[in-house]
Amino acid sequence: MRAYYFDNLSGDQRLPHDCVPSRPVDPETLKSIKVEAWTIPVTPGYEEELDAVAKERNYRNRDVIEISKEGLGDEYEQKLKGFYKEHIHEDEEIRYILEGGGFFDVRQAPSDEWIRLAVSAGDLLVIPAGIYHRFTVDERNLTRTTRLFKDEPKWSAIYRGPESDANPHRIDYLKSIAAAA
């Protein structure tokens, strides 16, 4: 995984949008906003490592989702727009990339800058509950991902606005990063 500040220029969301010159983001910065990432190569035996992460974090369910034109058909572009609209979740979002790649953008608080996380096969990413973020595939137009869940598989977004700013999970997240600073 590669982390860097998003250039905020208009254009295709599936492009890298890296600043010129690039502004890399170090692991300590990600840690300060509670984003975790590591690599588990997609090789025989990766399931055991993924199972260990799931057990450690009390995840009981998982599914595999393929975001591609072939997999989603006519809904592809609409789904991408929904994933790319800035939102929070009330649970942490944990994703393991099996194939393809994409970009998770997370808001750095308190600056409100976008940090872009370029992910590809083998990357495992944990995005905390309450952080503003969004997702898009890259130019390959394919991401096959294992999603881990504490309970039943679901994807429930709360889009940015007054409701999300007042959400208890958002407030708790902001308190947690202030306490860590």
Side-chain angles (χ1 to χ4, degrees):
M1 185 201 74
R2 190 168 78 86
Y4 54 91
Y5 286 97
F6 185 80
D7 66 10
N8 287 315
L9 298 176
S10 61
D12 189 342
Q13 68 196 34
R14 299 163 213 197
L15 297 175
H17 284 279
D18 199 353
C19 296
V20 178
S22 185
R23 295 175 50 214
V25 173
D26 61 56
E28 287 304 311
T29 300
L30 293 178
K31 185 178 178 182
S32 75
I33 60 171
K34 308 275 188 196
V35 172
E36 299 177 64
W38 57 97
T39 301
I40 300 173
V42 184
T43 56
Y46 81 85
E47 295 94 344
E48 292 173 13
E49 288 187 65
L50 196 56
D51 289 346
V53 170
K55 183 177 179 182
E56 177 184 321
R57 299 181 87 92
N58 289 324
Y59 281 86
R60 294 186 299 260
N61 287 300
R62 68 182 71 179
D63 68 8
V64 174
I65 182 172
E66 181 176 314
I67 302 168
S68 68
K69 290 179 182 177
E70 293 75 26
L72 295 173
D74 293 340
E75 294 181 31
Y76 177 71
E77 292 296 332
Q78 185 174 342
K79 287 279 190 189
L80 271 187
K81 285 178 185 173
F83 294 149
Y84 199 64
K85 189 174 177 183
E86 188 172 1
H87 61 278
I88 64 171
H89 299 292
E90 293 186 337
D91 298 309
E92 70 181 14
E93 184 169 320
I94 185 166
R95 303 292 186 257
Y96 175 64
I97 310 302
L98 295 165
E99 182 181 0
F103 302 106
F104 284 90
D105 298 333
V106 294
R107 286 279 189 192
Q108 183 180 18
S111 71
D112 219 29
E113 286 188 271
W114 282 116
I115 295 174
R116 178 153 269 203
L117 308 166
V119 296
S120 58
D123 288 333
L124 180 67
L125 184 64
V126 179
I127 297 175
I131 191 173
Y132 284 115
H133 67 283
R134 60 190 183 189
F135 172 78
T136 187
V137 294
D138 60 21
E139 292 175 281
R140 293 174 279 187
N141 288 307
L142 166 68
T143 303
R144 195 166 58 86
T145 304
T146 297
R147 304 183 306 173
L148 301 174
F149 302 94
K150 290 193 187 265
D151 296 308
E152 292 302 312
K154 66 177 179 170
W155 189 87
S156 179
I158 303 167
Y159 295 105
R160 189 165 189 173
E163 178 186 345
S164 62
D165 287 340
N167 183 285
H169 296 275
R170 174 68 180 163
I171 293 167
D172 288 347
Y173 169 72
L174 291 172
K175 287 178 185 174
S176 76
I177 61 170

PDB file of all heavy atoms in Angstrom, residues 67-79:
ATOM      1  N   ILE A  67     -15.907  -5.750  -7.371  1.00  0.00           N
ATOM      2  CA  ILE A  67     -16.361  -4.497  -7.956  1.00  0.00           C
ATOM      3  C   ILE A  67     -15.726  -4.423  -9.335  1.00  0.00           C
ATOM      4  O   ILE A  67     -14.528  -4.177  -9.481  1.00  0.00           O
ATOM      5  CB  ILE A  67     -15.940  -3.296  -7.084  1.00  0.00           C
ATOM      6  CG1 ILE A  67     -16.499  -3.461  -5.671  1.00  0.00           C
ATOM      7  CG2 ILE A  67     -16.425  -1.990  -7.718  1.00  0.00           C
ATOM      8  CD1 ILE A  67     -15.911  -2.499  -4.663  1.00  0.00           C
ATOM      9  N   SER A  68     -16.543  -4.711 -10.349  1.00  0.00           N
ATOM     10  CA  SER A  68     -16.092  -4.696 -11.735  1.00  0.00           C
ATOM     11  C   SER A  68     -17.307  -4.504 -12.631  1.00  0.00           C
ATOM     12  O   SER A  68     -18.444  -4.723 -12.209  1.00  0.00           O
ATOM     13  CB  SER A  68     -15.386  -6.009 -12.099  1.00  0.00           C
ATOM     14  OG  SER A  68     -16.323  -7.077 -12.114  1.00  0.00           O
ATOM     15  N   LYS A  69     -17.043  -4.116 -13.859  1.00  0.00           N
ATOM     16  CA  LYS A  69     -18.138  -3.972 -14.819  1.00  0.00           C
ATOM     17  C   LYS A  69     -18.811  -5.314 -15.056  1.00  0.00           C
ATOM     18  O   LYS A  69     -20.029  -5.403 -15.147  1.00  0.00           O
ATOM     19  CB  LYS A  69     -17.609  -3.400 -16.139  1.00  0.00           C
ATOM     20  CG  LYS A  69     -17.199  -1.948 -16.036  1.00  0.00           C
ATOM     21  CD  LYS A  69     -16.652  -1.432 -17.347  1.00  0.00           C
ATOM     22  CE  LYS A  69     -16.204   0.006 -17.190  1.00  0.00           C
ATOM     23  NZ  LYS A  69     -15.602   0.550 -18.402  1.00  0.00           N
ATOM     24  N   GLU A  70     -18.008  -6.376 -15.145  1.00  0.00           N
ATOM     25  CA  GLU A  70     -18.559  -7.707 -15.381  1.00  0.00           C
ATOM     26  C   GLU A  70     -19.392  -8.182 -14.195  1.00  0.00           C
ATOM     27  O   GLU A  70     -20.458  -8.754 -14.353  1.00  0.00           O
ATOM     28  CB  GLU A  70     -17.438  -8.717 -15.663  1.00  0.00           C
ATOM     29  CG  GLU A  70     -16.696  -8.487 -16.962  1.00  0.00           C
ATOM     30  CD  GLU A  70     -15.710  -7.311 -16.912  1.00  0.00           C
ATOM     31  OE1 GLU A  70     -15.213  -6.966 -15.804  1.00  0.00           O
ATOM     32  OE2 GLU A  70     -15.461  -6.713 -17.968  1.00  0.00           O
ATOM     33  N   GLY A  71     -18.882  -7.931 -12.979  1.00  0.00           N
ATOM     34  CA  GLY A  71     -19.550  -8.409 -11.776  1.00  0.00           C
ATOM     35  C   GLY A  71     -20.817  -7.658 -11.426  1.00  0.00           C
ATOM     36  O   GLY A  71     -21.767  -8.237 -10.905  1.00  0.00           O
ATOM     37  N   LEU A  72     -20.846  -6.347 -11.691  1.00  0.00           N
ATOM     38  CA  LEU A  72     -21.986  -5.523 -11.291  1.00  0.00           C
ATOM     39  C   LEU A  72     -22.882  -5.107 -12.451  1.00  0.00           C
ATOM     40  O   LEU A  72     -23.966  -4.574 -12.228  1.00  0.00           O
ATOM     41  CB  LEU A  72     -21.497  -4.279 -10.542  1.00  0.00           C
ATOM     42  CG  LEU A  72     -20.808  -4.558  -9.199  1.00  0.00           C
ATOM     43  CD1 LEU A  72     -20.213  -3.281  -8.625  1.00  0.00           C
ATOM     44  CD2 LEU A  72     -21.771  -5.181  -8.206  1.00  0.00           C
ATOM     45  N   GLY A  73     -22.422  -5.324 -13.667  1.00  0.00           N
ATOM     46  CA  GLY A  73     -23.245  -5.014 -14.838  1.00  0.00           C
ATOM     47  C   GLY A  73     -23.665  -3.564 -14.902  1.00  0.00           C
ATOM     48  O   GLY A  73     -22.864  -2.655 -14.694  1.00  0.00           O
ATOM     49  N   ASP A  74     -24.960  -3.341 -15.141  1.00  0.00           N
ATOM     50  CA  ASP A  74     -25.485  -1.988 -15.319  1.00  0.00           C
ATOM     51  C   ASP A  74     -25.403  -1.142 -14.045  1.00  0.00           C
ATOM     52  O   ASP A  74     -25.493   0.083 -14.109  1.00  0.00           O
ATOM     53  CB  ASP A  74     -26.942  -2.043 -15.788  1.00  0.00           C
ATOM     54  CG  ASP A  74     -27.067  -2.617 -17.191  1.00  0.00           C
ATOM     55  OD1 ASP A  74     -26.064  -2.608 -17.935  1.00  0.00           O
ATOM     56  OD2 ASP A  74     -28.170  -3.087 -17.535  1.00  0.00           O
ATOM     57  N   GLU A  75     -25.232  -1.781 -12.883  1.00  0.00           N
ATOM     58  CA  GLU A  75     -25.163  -1.051 -11.613  1.00  0.00           C
ATOM     59  C   GLU A  75     -23.755  -0.530 -11.313  1.00  0.00           C
ATOM     60  O   GLU A  75     -23.569   0.205 -10.342  1.00  0.00           O
ATOM     61  CB  GLU A  75     -25.594  -1.966 -10.462  1.00  0.00           C
ATOM     62  CG  GLU A  75     -27.038  -2.376 -10.508  1.00  0.00           C
ATOM     63  CD  GLU A  75     -27.393  -3.262  -9.318  1.00  0.00           C
ATOM     64  OE1 GLU A  75     -26.799  -3.094  -8.237  1.00  0.00           O
ATOM     65  OE2 GLU A  75     -28.248  -4.133  -9.500  1.00  0.00           O
ATOM     66  N   TYR A  76     -22.762  -0.912 -12.124  1.00  0.00           N
ATOM     67  CA  TYR A  76     -21.356  -0.612 -11.838  1.00  0.00           C
ATOM     68  C   TYR A  76     -21.109   0.873 -11.569  1.00  0.00           C
ATOM     69  O   TYR A  76     -20.597   1.235 -10.506  1.00  0.00           O
ATOM     70  CB  TYR A  76     -20.477  -1.109 -12.985  1.00  0.00           C
ATOM     71  CG  TYR A  76     -19.016  -0.797 -12.819  1.00  0.00           C
ATOM     72  CD1 TYR A  76     -18.258  -1.462 -11.863  1.00  0.00           C
ATOM     73  CD2 TYR A  76     -18.384   0.154 -13.615  1.00  0.00           C
ATOM     74  CE1 TYR A  76     -16.911  -1.188 -11.708  1.00  0.00           C
ATOM     75  CE2 TYR A  76     -17.041   0.429 -13.461  1.00  0.00           C
ATOM     76  CZ  TYR A  76     -16.304  -0.238 -12.510  1.00  0.00           C
ATOM     77  OH  TYR A  76     -14.974   0.042 -12.355  1.00  0.00           O
ATOM     78  N   GLU A  77     -21.462   1.729 -12.510  1.00  0.00           N
ATOM     79  CA  GLU A  77     -21.171   3.166 -12.354  1.00  0.00           C
ATOM     80  C   GLU A  77     -21.920   3.758 -11.164  1.00  0.00           C
ATOM     81  O   GLU A  77     -21.370   4.567 -10.417  1.00  0.00           O
ATOM     82  CB  GLU A  77     -21.489   3.933 -13.638  1.00  0.00           C
ATOM     83  CG  GLU A  77     -20.579   3.598 -14.799  1.00  0.00           C
ATOM     84  CD  GLU A  77     -19.105   3.967 -14.591  1.00  0.00           C
ATOM     85  OE1 GLU A  77     -18.816   4.919 -13.841  1.00  0.00           O
ATOM     86  OE2 GLU A  77     -18.245   3.297 -15.190  1.00  0.00           O
ATOM     87  N   GLN A  78     -23.155   3.352 -10.955  1.00  0.00           N
ATOM     88  CA  GLN A  78     -23.941   3.861  -9.828  1.00  0.00           C
ATOM     89  C   GLN A  78     -23.331   3.427  -8.497  1.00  0.00           C
ATOM     90  O   GLN A  78     -23.251   4.212  -7.550  1.00  0.00           O
ATOM     91  CB  GLN A  78     -25.391   3.403  -9.932  1.00  0.00           C
ATOM     92  CG  GLN A  78     -26.276   3.995  -8.857  1.00  0.00           C
ATOM     93  CD  GLN A  78     -27.738   3.644  -9.054  1.00  0.00           C
ATOM     94  OE1 GLN A  78     -28.154   3.246 -10.131  1.00  0.00           O
ATOM     95  NE2 GLN A  78     -28.511   3.798  -8.004  1.00  0.00           N
ATOM     96  N   LYS A  79     -22.895   2.166  -8.411  1.00  0.00           N
ATOM     97  CA  LYS A  79     -22.249   1.671  -7.184  1.00  0.00           C
ATOM     98  C   LYS A  79     -20.968   2.453  -6.908  1.00  0.00           C
ATOM     99  O   LYS A  79     -20.703   2.827  -5.761  1.00  0.00           O
ATOM    100  CB  LYS A  79     -21.931   0.182  -7.293  1.00  0.00           C
ATOM    101  CG  LYS A  79     -23.138  -0.708  -7.215  1.00  0.00           C
ATOM    102  CD  LYS A  79     -23.545  -0.920  -5.790  1.00  0.00           C
ATOM    103  CE  LYS A  79     -24.594  -2.009  -5.716  1.00  0.00           C
ATOM    104  NZ  LYS A  79     -25.174  -2.106  -4.389  1.00  0.00           N
TER     105      LYS A  79
END
